[in-house]
Amino acid sequence: MLLWPLLLLLLLLLLPLTLLGLRRPPDAELSWLGGLQHRVAWGVLGWAAAWQQQRLEQCTRHVGQSQQQALRWCLKRARGTRCALRGVTDVSTFRNHLPLTKASQTPEEESRGQLLPPTSRQHRGEAALQATLLGLVALNKAHPGALAPGSTACVTLTSPWPSPLPWPGDALGWGTTPGAKDPGSLLLEALRSPGLKVLEAGTAVELLDIFLGLEVTGHEVAGAIAAGGPGAPLPGRAAELLEALGQGPRGLALRLWPKLQVVVTLDAGGQAEAAAALAALWCQGLAFFSPAYAASGGVVGLNLWPEQPRGLYLLPPGAPFIELLPVTEGAPVEAASTLLLAEAQQGKEYELVLTDRGGLTRCRLGDVVRVVGIHNQCPIVRFTRRLGQALSVRGEDIGEDLFSEALGRAVGQWPGAKLLDHGCVESSILDSFKGSAPHYEVFVELRGLRNLSEENRDKLDLWLQEASPRYKSLRIRGSVGPARVHLVGQGAFKALRAALATCPSSPFPPEMPRVFRHGHLAQLLQRWVVS
């Protein structure tokens, strides 16, 4: 934790340089000082990122020792009945004293007898700081000049960067707009700046809501810009906004900001549909970058490869302490023993288990990763699915990734349709199986299609049978009925997320559930059904 004192010392050494600008004319002084401050800030961040990169390389080369240190750090503040663990250094003893627990897989479950990982809107620890510093440098390398002064805007109250930065962040223009208390004011400020090169949002779901809302309130926003809120009146910019909106959603972001290069959001569970919709429509033609994969227990993966189209994440050996629970098809996960990072095998799938010093619980997140490479001794992973999001009315066990793939193929055969969001519920939860075999009730929010024909609806069931031989066998025997697809109106899933956010256990980043275990959420969507 000597990083920030060293940065402060470096800043103090560089401050005399800024005083030289006081001898210049006032207008030139502001421009010169601003440019100098930006260069100094980048120098500080570059030095800090190089230091973090060196630390990361060292700990990933000696991952066993690094994980032992992380474990001691987690146990250092053990309290209550766990005080006896403070001196523990042996992983086997640690595992015997702390049995695995399951985290709630959806906020709807509240905390009914289940242990939840700590929820926080600000991530802590070395991994969060590493993800931010290394991500910024990697992003600037992949998109030179994209992070110049005034080129970046965040349109949500939460940032995609896991760890907040002090002075350097403000100097580089990454601070929140003064007085901004809602996403609307942040969006208004961003729309006044046609030269943006980087667009940021907390998550892809939040950014999708921003674009959907802009289509509804576009004329009102343009009026505010023309009238001078906030700042000077910009009637020309307001006219550009209305013209861009009038051409539809496809490529809207590049019409609003012609210099835009990349969209930055924080990756978390349930974001895939929103990210795909943004890439296909509003943000078409833009690169996407997530600096980290985050769960409610903290940052669990660092993205060091911004050029990759799909997120690849390095699992670091620091805190939170990470274990891997093997996932084998046909075998119960509970029967397996956890592994340390150095024991991961390429091509295998594992469920993540986190332990941090806040809750001191060995918490099974339900997030499943596939190891696609090795960096030094640490695994590089791609997130595939969440175990708690599987559908099973007769033991067929259709996972989140399998269902999403089948739904994507079905929507691809619906003329003009683009999938924005979806959710599922087993018929027994809605009591909708009376007089019929148990089945899935599926709610979809679409763009480009206002009505679903029976032929459209049948395509999902056919693709599910193609994806799962077990499901197909049950359908042929009549033990499972055909999936029933409902089209909901625009705003349905935004209302659902608002309902989820009121839960006391709602995590951050928000993890969008795809399978509802309690009927009241599905009933909320039922009220939005239009077809």
Side-chain angles (χ1 to χ4, degrees):
M1 300 308 294
L2 294 176
L3 175 60
W4 295 123
L6 289 173
L7 292 181
L8 180 60
L9 176 61
L10 180 59
L11 174 60
L12 292 174
L13 292 174
L14 292 171
L15 271 178
L17 293 175
T18 65
L19 298 179
L20 296 175
L22 297 177
R23 298 180 181 179
R24 294 174 174 260
D27 292 341
E29 171 192 326
L30 292 176
S31 176
W32 188 84
L33 284 176
L36 177 61
Q37 189 180 35
H38 185 268
R39 288 192 295 273
V40 171
W42 260 117
V44 172
L45 282 177
W47 178 86
W51 185 73
Q52 285 288 349
Q53 182 69 52
Q54 184 180 12
R55 284 175 55 87
L56 183 63
E57 289 298 311
Q58 182 178 2
C59 70
T60 54
R61 287 193 189 101
H62 309 284
V63 65
Q65 180 182 350
S66 300
Q67 282 212 280
Q68 285 281 58
Q69 292 174 348
L71 179 58
R72 286 196 295 270
W73 186 82
C74 288
L75 298 177
K76 187 175 181 180
R77 296 188 179 182
R79 299 176 181 176
T81 58
R82 296 182 173 88
C83 286
L85 292 174
R86 287 182 183 175
V88 170
T89 58
D90 178 64
V91 175
S92 298
T93 305
F94 159 73
R95 288 168 172 162
N96 291 335
H97 278 79
L98 286 181
L100 292 176
T101 60
K102 287 185 179 180
S104 170
Q105 293 301 311
T106 58
E108 66 195 88
E109 293 179 9
E110 302 274 338
S111 55
R112 298 169 181 165
Q114 291 187 313
L115 295 172
L116 297 171
T119 60
S120 172
R121 292 189 174 267
Q122 178 176 323
H123 295 289
R124 301 166 293 175
E126 191 78 5
L129 182 59
Q130 284 178 339
T132 299
L133 290 172
L134 299 182
L136 285 168
V137 172
L139 181 63
N140 192 55
K141 183 178 179 180
H143 302 277
L147 298 177
S151 296
T152 301
C154 186
V155 293
T156 59
L157 295 177
T158 56
S159 170
W161 301 102
S163 178
L165 295 177
W167 169 79
D170 295 332
L172 291 167
W174 297 324
T176 303
T177 303
K181 297 181 180 180
D182 62 90
S185 59
L186 293 176
L187 177 62
L188 192 62
E189 185 66 25
L191 289 171
R192 291 175 57 87
S193 305
L196 289 185
K197 297 179 181 178
V198 180
L199 186 64
E200 297 180 354
T203 61
V205 165
E206 293 175 272
L207 184 58
L208 179 60
D209 285 342
I210 291 291
F211 277 111
L212 289 172
L214 181 59
E215 293 182 346
V216 176
T217 63
H219 283 80
E220 180 182 339
V221 172
I225 292 175
L234 298 174
R237 181 59 179 160
E240 291 174 358
L241 170 60
L242 291 176
E243 182 181 358
L245 288 170
Q247 298 178 42
R250 195 178 300 274
L252 175 61
L254 275 174
R255 292 197 301 274
L256 294 174
W257 301 287
K259 297 182 180 180
L260 201 61
Q261 298 179 23
V262 60
V263 176
V264 182
T265 62
L266 186 64
D267 201 359
Q271 303 291 321
E273 278 77 5
L278 288 167
L281 293 174
W282 297 272
C283 299
Q284 188 181 63
L286 293 170
F288 282 75
F289 176 59
S290 169
Y293 187 93
S296 51
V299 170
V300 295
L302 311 181
N303 188 350
L304 306 180
W305 304 275
E307 69 282 356
Q308 292 292 329
R310 288 186 60 194
L312 296 180
Y313 300 98
L314 173 68
L315 299 184
F321 182 73
I322 301 176
E323 297 173 84
L324 303 173
L325 190 61
V327 176
T328 305
E329 187 175 354
V333 177
E334 291 79 0
S337 299
T338 58
L339 305 176
L340 298 181
L341 296 180
E343 300 172 293
Q345 298 181 36
Q346 190 161 340
K348 300 290 186 180
E349 289 192 337
Y350 302 93
E351 180 185 358
L352 293 175
V353 177
L354 294 191
T355 302
D356 79 340
R357 66 177 181 179
L360 201 60
T361 58
R362 296 175 66 217
C363 187
R364 290 177 53 187
L365 292 187
D367 289 6
V368 176
V369 301
R370 180 184 295 274
V371 178
V372 296
I374 302 293
H375 179 78
N376 293 331
Q377 295 180 338
C378 282
I380 301 170
V381 303
R382 179 170 280 133
F383 287 78
T384 61
R385 65 189 186 279
R386 294 172 291 174
L387 290 178
Q389 300 293 288
L391 288 160
S392 186
V393 293
R394 290 288 191 192
E396 67 279 11
D397 194 29
I398 293 184
E400 181 181 24
D401 54 338
L402 200 71
F403 184 89
S404 293
E405 183 180 355
L407 179 59
R409 290 180 173 179
V411 174
Q413 294 182 320
W414 299 347
K418 293 292 182 183
L419 180 66
L420 300 184
D421 223 327
H422 84 273
C424 312
V425 64
E426 295 167 3
S427 58
S428 59
I429 294 174
L430 275 182
D431 292 330
S432 58
F433 69 99
K434 295 178 180 178
S436 62
H439 57 273
Y440 309 151
E441 299 278 351
V442 183
F443 301 90
V444 295
E445 185 174 341
L446 302 174
R447 193 58 181 268
L449 192 62
R450 297 185 178 181
N451 189 33
L452 284 176
S453 66
E454 288 305 315
E455 183 181 0
N456 292 150
R457 300 173 201 268
D458 291 341
K459 283 185 170 61
L460 172 59
D461 198 75
L462 293 174
W463 278 115
L464 285 172
Q465 293 183 48
E466 183 75 17
S468 171
R470 171 66 176 166
Y471 179 81
K472 182 175 183 178
S473 173
L474 292 169
R475 286 284 295 110
I476 292 174
R477 297 205 307 262
S479 301
V480 172
R484 298 179 181 177
V485 185
H486 310 280
L487 177 63
V488 297
Q490 182 175 316
F493 282 88
K494 184 177 182 180
L496 175 68
R497 288 190 287 273
L500 290 172
T502 63
C503 295
S505 59
S506 180
F508 182 81
E511 297 184 2
M512 181 63 194
R514 297 296 168 204
V515 177
F516 309 129
R517 303 302 181 190
H518 297 273
H520 68 280
L521 292 181
Q523 290 165 4
L524 184 155
L525 289 178
Q526 278 185 318
R527 294 193 289 270
W528 287 78
V529 170
V530 295
S531 173

